[in-house]
Amino acid sequence: MRREPEMDLGVLRRDGRTDPFFDGAAAGRLVVRRCDACDRWLAPDAGDCPGCGGSDLAWAEASGEAALVSWTVLHGRPADDGAVPPPVCLALVELAEGPWLHTRLVGADPAGLREGLPLRAVFEHPAEGESYVLFRPAAP
Protein backbone atom coordinates (compact mmCIF):
# COMPACT_ATOMS: atom_id res chain seq x y z
CA MET A 1 0.00 0.00 0.00
CA ARG A 2 1.34 3.41 -0.99
CA ARG A 3 2.03 5.70 1.97
CA GLU A 4 0.72 9.24 1.61
CA PRO A 5 3.18 12.12 1.90
CA GLU A 6 3.39 13.71 5.30
CA MET A 7 2.36 17.32 5.67
CA ASP A 8 2.61 18.89 9.08
CA LEU A 9 -0.58 20.84 9.72
CA GLY A 10 0.26 21.34 13.36
CA VAL A 11 -2.16 20.30 16.04
CA LEU A 12 -5.74 21.31 15.29
CA ARG A 13 -7.74 22.59 18.26
CA ARG A 14 -11.42 23.47 18.64
CA ASP A 15 -12.49 27.06 19.03
CA GLY A 16 -16.03 26.42 20.25
CA ARG A 17 -17.75 27.65 17.06
CA THR A 18 -17.08 24.49 15.09
CA ASP A 19 -17.43 21.74 17.72
CA PRO A 20 -20.06 19.83 15.67
CA PHE A 21 -17.70 19.83 12.65
CA PHE A 22 -14.91 18.24 14.70
CA ASP A 23 -17.31 15.83 16.44
CA GLY A 24 -18.47 14.71 13.00
CA ALA A 25 -14.92 14.30 11.70
CA ALA A 26 -14.02 12.20 14.75
CA ALA A 27 -16.97 9.93 13.87
CA GLY A 28 -16.05 9.80 10.15
CA ARG A 29 -18.89 12.13 9.08
CA LEU A 30 -18.69 15.43 7.20
CA VAL A 31 -20.86 17.97 9.04
CA VAL A 32 -21.36 21.51 7.66
CA ARG A 33 -23.72 24.44 8.24
CA ARG A 34 -27.16 24.74 6.68
CA CYS A 35 -29.55 27.69 6.76
CA ASP A 36 -32.94 26.67 8.14
CA ALA A 37 -34.64 29.68 6.52
CA CYS A 38 -33.62 29.09 2.88
CA ASP A 39 -32.12 25.56 2.97
CA ARG A 40 -28.73 26.77 1.67
CA TRP A 41 -25.66 24.69 2.62
CA LEU A 42 -22.66 26.62 3.94
CA ALA A 43 -19.06 26.07 4.99
CA PRO A 44 -18.44 24.94 8.59
CA ASP A 45 -17.18 28.38 9.67
CA ALA A 46 -20.16 30.35 8.28
CA GLY A 47 -21.67 32.85 10.71
CA ASP A 48 -24.73 33.83 8.70
CA CYS A 49 -26.36 32.97 5.39
CA PRO A 50 -25.24 35.01 2.37
CA GLY A 51 -28.41 33.95 0.56
CA CYS A 52 -31.10 35.30 2.90
CA GLY A 53 -29.04 37.01 5.61
CA GLY A 54 -30.40 34.64 8.20
CA SER A 55 -28.36 33.69 11.23
CA ASP A 56 -30.38 30.60 12.22
CA LEU A 57 -27.83 28.07 10.97
CA ALA A 58 -28.02 24.39 11.84
CA TRP A 59 -25.45 21.63 11.51
CA ALA A 60 -26.23 18.93 8.94
CA GLU A 61 -24.43 15.86 7.64
CA ALA A 62 -23.21 16.28 4.07
CA SER A 63 -22.81 13.36 1.66
CA GLY A 64 -19.02 13.56 1.56
CA GLU A 65 -19.08 13.77 -2.24
CA ALA A 66 -17.29 16.66 -3.92
CA ALA A 67 -15.74 17.87 -7.16
CA LEU A 68 -12.29 19.37 -7.60
CA VAL A 69 -12.42 23.11 -8.33
CA SER A 70 -8.76 24.14 -8.15
CA TRP A 71 -5.48 22.78 -6.77
CA THR A 72 -1.82 23.36 -6.30
CA VAL A 73 0.96 20.82 -6.02
CA LEU A 74 3.72 21.46 -3.48
CA HIS A 75 7.09 19.92 -4.20
CA GLY A 76 9.39 19.48 -1.22
CA ARG A 77 13.09 20.12 -1.14
CA PRO A 78 15.38 17.12 -1.40
CA ALA A 79 16.75 15.93 1.94
CA ASP A 80 20.46 15.96 2.71
CA ASP A 81 20.61 12.32 1.61
CA GLY A 82 19.09 13.23 -1.78
CA ALA A 83 15.68 11.69 -1.10
CA VAL A 84 12.90 13.74 -2.69
CA PRO A 85 9.63 13.84 -0.76
CA PRO A 86 6.48 13.06 -2.74
CA PRO A 87 4.38 16.06 -3.79
CA VAL A 88 1.49 17.28 -1.64
CA CYS A 89 -1.76 18.37 -3.31
CA LEU A 90 -3.75 21.22 -1.75
CA ALA A 91 -7.20 21.78 -3.18
CA LEU A 92 -10.39 23.75 -3.26
CA VAL A 93 -13.36 21.40 -3.56
CA GLU A 94 -17.07 21.96 -4.07
CA LEU A 95 -19.26 19.72 -1.94
CA ALA A 96 -22.23 18.09 -3.68
CA GLU A 97 -24.39 20.29 -1.42
CA GLY A 98 -22.72 23.47 -2.71
CA PRO A 99 -20.18 24.92 -0.24
CA TRP A 100 -16.50 25.05 -1.10
CA LEU A 101 -13.81 23.78 1.28
CA HIS A 102 -10.04 24.11 1.33
CA THR A 103 -8.48 20.71 1.88
CA ARG A 104 -5.66 18.35 1.04
CA LEU A 105 -5.98 15.55 -1.51
CA VAL A 106 -4.73 12.06 -0.74
CA GLY A 107 -4.38 9.11 -3.08
CA ALA A 108 -4.26 11.41 -6.10
CA ASP A 109 -1.70 11.41 -8.88
CA PRO A 110 -0.96 15.11 -9.54
CA ALA A 111 -0.73 14.39 -13.29
CA GLY A 112 -4.32 13.06 -13.29
CA LEU A 113 -5.94 16.02 -11.56
CA ARG A 114 -8.58 17.91 -13.54
CA GLU A 115 -11.37 20.35 -12.83
CA GLY A 116 -14.54 18.48 -11.88
CA LEU A 117 -12.71 15.32 -10.75
CA PRO A 118 -15.15 13.44 -8.46
CA LEU A 119 -13.86 13.22 -4.89
CA ARG A 120 -14.89 11.53 -1.65
CA ALA A 121 -14.25 12.66 1.94
CA VAL A 122 -11.90 10.63 4.12
CA PHE A 123 -10.86 11.44 7.66
CA GLU A 124 -7.55 11.76 9.42
CA HIS A 125 -7.48 10.88 13.13
CA PRO A 126 -4.17 12.14 14.56
CA ALA A 127 -2.87 10.99 17.94
CA GLU A 128 -3.06 14.57 19.21
CA GLY A 129 -5.58 17.26 18.32
CA GLU A 130 -8.78 17.08 16.34
CA SER A 131 -9.72 14.77 13.49
CA TYR A 132 -10.09 16.47 10.12
CA VAL A 133 -11.37 15.87 6.61
CA LEU A 134 -9.30 15.17 3.49
CA PHE A 135 -10.50 14.17 0.03
CA ARG A 136 -9.45 11.43 -2.37
CA PRO A 137 -10.53 10.64 -5.93
CA ALA A 138 -13.81 8.73 -5.92
CA ALA A 139 -13.73 5.16 -7.13
CA PRO A 140 -14.86 4.91 -10.78
Side-chain angles (χ1 to χ4, degrees):
M1 180 174 183
R2 184 174 153 236
R3 179 154 164 70
E4 294 300 330
E6 298 280 331
M7 181 176 174
D8 186 10
L9 295 176
V11 177
L12 296 178
R13 301 279 185 220
R14 295 171 185 250
D15 66 4
R17 295 179 315 123
T18 54
D19 287 352
F21 173 80
F22 287 115
D23 289 343
R29 298 179 306 119
L30 179 57
V31 178
V32 297
R33 305 300 299 256
R34 191 180 61 75
C35 178
D36 282 338
C38 70
D39 201 32
R40 178 180 235 162
W41 291 78
L42 308 165
D45 61 348
D48 56 15
C49 179
C52 70
S55 60
D56 189 16
L57 305 182
W59 290 93
E61 186 172 349
S63 67
E65 296 175 9
L68 185 59
V69 174
S70 184
W71 65 96
T72 189
V73 179
L74 304 176
H75 298 277
R77 292 186 178 149
D80 290 340
D81 65 1
V84 178
V88 173
C89 299
L90 302 179
L92 180 62
V93 303
E94 182 177 13
L95 299 181
E97 294 79 9
W100 290 14
L101 297 179
H102 293 275
T103 188
R104 182 167 50 102
L105 300 180
V106 293
D109 175 6
L113 297 178
R114 60 176 170 72
E115 184 179 352
L117 180 70
L119 303 169
R120 183 83 186 135
V122 294
F123 298 89
E124 185 72 23
H125 305 285
E128 183 180 356
E130 301 298 334
S131 297
Y132 54 92
V133 65
L134 305 169
F135 283 82
R136 73 170 46 254

